Amino acid sequence: TAAAEISLGGTSAQTVVSEGTLAFNSLTNLTVTNASGVTLQSPVTLPGTTTVSAGALLAVASALTNSGTTPVAGTLRLDSGGSLSVAPTYGGSSTLIYDAAPGTSVGPEWSGTGGTAGTGVPQDVTVLQGTVTMPATSRIVPGDLTFGGGGMALTSGDLTVKGVLALGASRIATGGRKVILPTGASLTRSGGGY
């Protein structure tokens, strides 16, 4: 039996909504190719692979339960209420965006501790609103960490940014932990961010 393929492409933003949990059969794969974005506003259960193609945006505003793999070459955005059940495998051009007011704690979407993009490690991270509370273990951003609003709170682990740490007017509450910018990394800020 061949796997069922659901592809969400096009040039206009799309929203997936249902009255309950939208569940697919055991062979269903989802591919997002829409650069304008696909938003999951209802819980979705996908036993197959969920792929976010390069240049595409998948916004998760509810629970995405996926027992397959989740390759992300494009952008994955967690909105208020959004969560993932498994760690995505990020590519070198991937971006993870937090857009959840009042904030969120890091989960499977950023569960890896490695220094290059891969399983649970996005290349770039953006915080648009809310405070992102980091887990007890250290995290590395292989690329850029950009704040368009919101902030970040470190708990028991350090944070290393290998690219540009663009704070703007946002703040990182370190709680006695370190924000590390290794050789080649840089910091930009305005309006008192840090």
Side-chain angles (χ1 to χ4, degrees), residues 25-125:
N25 73 38
S26 63
L27 300 173
T28 303
N29 297 316
L30 171 66
T31 301
V32 176
T33 60
N34 188 331
S36 295
V38 172
T39 301
L40 303 180
Q41 287 190 334
S42 299
V44 175
T45 299
L46 286 161
T49 299
T50 302
T51 302
V52 181
S53 300
L57 165 66
L58 175 61
V60 181
S62 193
L64 173 58
T65 304
N66 183 17
S67 55
T69 60
T70 306
V72 177
T75 300
L76 175 65
R77 188 179 78 210
L78 284 185
D79 293 345
S80 294
S83 66
L84 302 178
S85 62
V86 298
T89 301
Y90 293 97
S93 63
S94 62
T95 300
L96 170 62
I97 298 175
Y98 289 98
D99 193 10
T104 189
S105 293
V106 169
E109 75 282 353
W110 192 5
S111 56
T113 58
T116 58
T119 303
V121 181
Q123 177 67 25
D124 298 314
V125 177

Side-chain angles (χ1 to χ4, degrees), residues 74-184:
T75 300
L76 175 65
R77 188 179 78 210
L78 284 185
D79 293 345
S80 294
S83 66
L84 302 178
S85 62
V86 298
T89 301
Y90 293 97
S93 63
S94 62
T95 300
L96 170 62
I97 298 175
Y98 289 98
D99 193 10
T104 189
S105 293
V106 169
E109 75 282 353
W110 192 5
S111 56
T113 58
T116 58
T119 303
V121 181
Q123 177 67 25
D124 298 314
V125 177
T126 299
V127 178
L128 294 179
Q129 63 175 326
T131 297
V132 176
T133 302
M134 301 300 289
T137 54
S138 295
R139 291 292 186 267
I140 298 173
V141 180
D144 300 336
L145 173 57
T146 304
F147 289 84
M152 188 171 280
L154 305 184
T155 55
S156 305
D158 296 332
L159 175 66
T160 301
V161 181
K162 291 183 170 182
V164 175
L165 172 53
L167 275 174
S170 296
R171 295 187 179 270
I172 298 175
T174 61
R177 305 309 303 172
K178 294 182 265 182
V179 176
I180 302 165
L181 299 175
T183 302

